[in-house]
Amino acid sequence: MAEKLALVGIGKIARDQHIPAISGNPDWSLEATVSRHASVDGIAAYQTLGSLLAERPDISTISLAIPPQPRFDYAKAALAAGKHVMLEKPPGQSLAECFALETLARNMGVSIFATWHSRFADCVPDLKSWLAPRDLKRLRIVWKEDVRHWHPGQEWIWEPGGMGVFDPGINALSIMTEILPHGVHVSEATLEYPENRATPIAAELRFADPTGADVSAVFDWRQEGLQTWDIEIETADGNARLSLGGEKLEINGELIKEGSNNEYPNLYAKMFDLVRNRDRDMDLSPFIHVCDALSLGRRLITAPFHY
Ligand code: NAP
């Protein structure tokens, strides 16, 4: 029998990805939505999580597709009610919130999943396998996109906890932490803040790598024209380029694979496994890099940003 699920936050990512992925997976049944302003045709709609929790004890799982700032309160209420919880990335607005949620999930004996959708892009496992036996010399993340195109009118990304350019940048860091066979940590960062905003519009990061490899990242939200979501890798034994956010892989200049976008179907398949096994997956390593960059970063003030 399908697991009954409620989706909270009927915004951009819910409509673009969550609803099609849930509908396409017979293991899940979308029973209800929670949204202050929106609903989905044919699905029971609740305006508050409290009313859903009170009226729908049959629902086992809550998927949160809201921005990071309100996520902790929603996740805490759902876990405290004994529900399994799936968190959009980033899993919260602070690390301590995430630790508290993981502890609560463990105490309640329910599943929690800090999702990193980019890790589920088609070519990421291929790159991970290719890299595993090789000596890394250089890894460079280049994540440059147009915030006006991808986040039209979204004010929460500019508010404390919204993370600015790290909202997409954390996707690259989620791939890096998945494919690297060893840990790295942020050693230096430069962050550019528009003078009228609380979060950065661009960032340049350097990482300390225990093997001495040159590991760095650049994130920029001011990119017009060609959008770039690339990870370039040099090893002692060949080069690789992951592009299109993980959908295309070239090795030594030769196209190895160009996949399609299966990230969210893969996420919901994984969540079903976690729920079935009462397991938890709360890897916070991409978020740790962002928090360290925000802590260590040299802050530059740049031109004001307006939509
Ligand atoms: P969004 O469209 O701006 O917001 C999603 C929904 O959350 C809104 O429709 C709103 O629904 C609800 N919401 C907003 N502020 C809230 C608040 N303070 N309290 C309660 N609910 C609130 O955002 P999104 O682009 O879908 O992003 C949501 C999450 O998905 C973010 O963490 C983001 O990083 C992640 N994500 C986004 C994308 C993307 O392409 N946009 C891709 C991957 C992951 P109501 O007003 O109707 O309640």
Side-chain angles (χ1 to χ4, degrees):
M1 197 150 77
E3 208 64 48
K4 293 184 180 179
L5 179 135
L7 182 60
V8 180
I10 304 303
K12 184 169 188 327
I13 198 61
R15 292 192 190 280
D16 287 357
Q17 297 291 344
H18 288 258
I19 293 167
I22 298 163
S23 308
N25 185 336
D27 286 333
W28 290 109
S29 164
L30 180 59
E31 294 285 321
T33 59
V34 177
S35 174
R36 299 165 307 175
H37 308 102
S39 61
V40 174
D41 282 351
I43 305 292
Y46 295 81
Q47 282 192 324
T48 67
L49 181 60
S51 56
L52 174 101
L53 294 174
E55 292 173 36
R56 296 298 301 268
D58 57 313
I59 289 177
S60 71
T61 304
I62 307 288
S63 179
L64 298 177
I66 51 179
Q69 293 97 333
R71 197 169 297 135
F72 176 76
D73 289 342
Y74 280 76
K76 184 179 167 201
L79 293 168
K83 308 297 180 189
H84 309 293
V85 169
M86 184 164 162
L87 303 165
E88 250 298 355
K89 51 64 49 173
Q93 58 175 350
S94 75
L95 285 170
E97 284 186 348
C98 300
F99 296 140
L101 292 178
E102 189 178 13
T103 301
L104 180 56
R106 183 173 294 111
N107 291 343
M108 293 299 297
V110 294
S111 297
I112 188 165
F113 184 18
T115 66
W116 300 108
H117 63 86
S118 292
R119 285 184 175 173
F120 289 80
D122 273 353
C123 297
V124 173
D126 304 88
L127 179 57
K128 183 176 180 174
S129 311
W130 179 83
L131 184 58
R134 291 180 163 78
D135 289 334
L136 181 71
K137 297 292 177 204
R138 179 177 170 272
L139 183 149
R140 174 78 169 161
I141 294 170
V142 183
W143 228 250
K144 295 184 174 182
E145 61 175 52
D146 181 352
V147 64
R148 290 188 174 85
H149 179 80
W150 298 104
H151 296 275
Q154 285 185 336
E155 289 296 331
W156 61 263
I157 55 177
W158 299 109
E159 293 299 321
M163 292 178 208
V165 76
F166 290 111
D167 179 73
I170 204 168
N171 298 332
L173 297 173
S174 76
I175 296 176
M176 183 185 81
T177 46
E178 172 69 14
I179 62 172
L180 276 186
H182 51 262
V184 295
H185 63 267
V186 175
S187 54
E188 275 176 56
T190 305
L191 311 173
E192 289 184 62
Y193 285 76
E195 67 178 35
N196 60 337
R197 301 291 181 170
T199 60
I201 195 165
E204 182 85 49
L205 273 52
R206 297 209 66 79
F207 295 84
D209 180 306
T211 68
D214 173 9
V215 179
S216 65
V218 60
F219 305 124
D220 203 321
W221 245 350
R222 298 165 297 196
Q223 177 88 351
E224 294 177 359
L226 183 68
Q227 308 287 287
T228 307
W229 300 283
D230 287 358
I231 301 181
E232 301 156 6
I233 292 178
E234 293 171 22
T235 73
D237 184 21
N239 302 332
R241 174 190 290 269
L242 186 74
S243 51
L244 304 178
E247 282 180 24
K248 183 175 173 187
L249 177 62
E250 291 156 286
I251 292 180
N252 297 325
E254 186 189 335
L255 179 64
I256 300 299
K257 188 170 179 181
E258 196 158 0
S260 49
N261 187 342
N262 291 312
E263 296 174 14
Y264 281 79
N266 292 341
L267 281 183
Y268 276 94
K270 163 93 183 199
M271 182 64 185
F272 185 73
D273 281 347
L274 291 175
V275 168
R276 197 174 42 190
N277 298 313
R278 295 291 184 273
D279 219 343
R280 287 169 282 281
D281 185 336
M282 198 72 180
D283 176 23
L284 299 176
S285 53
F287 195 18
I288 289 171
H289 291 320
V290 172
C291 292
D292 282 359
L294 293 171
S295 169
L296 290 171
R298 185 175 302 279
R299 185 184 173 118
L300 306 178
I301 303 300
T302 185
F305 176 85
H306 300 283
Y307 281 108

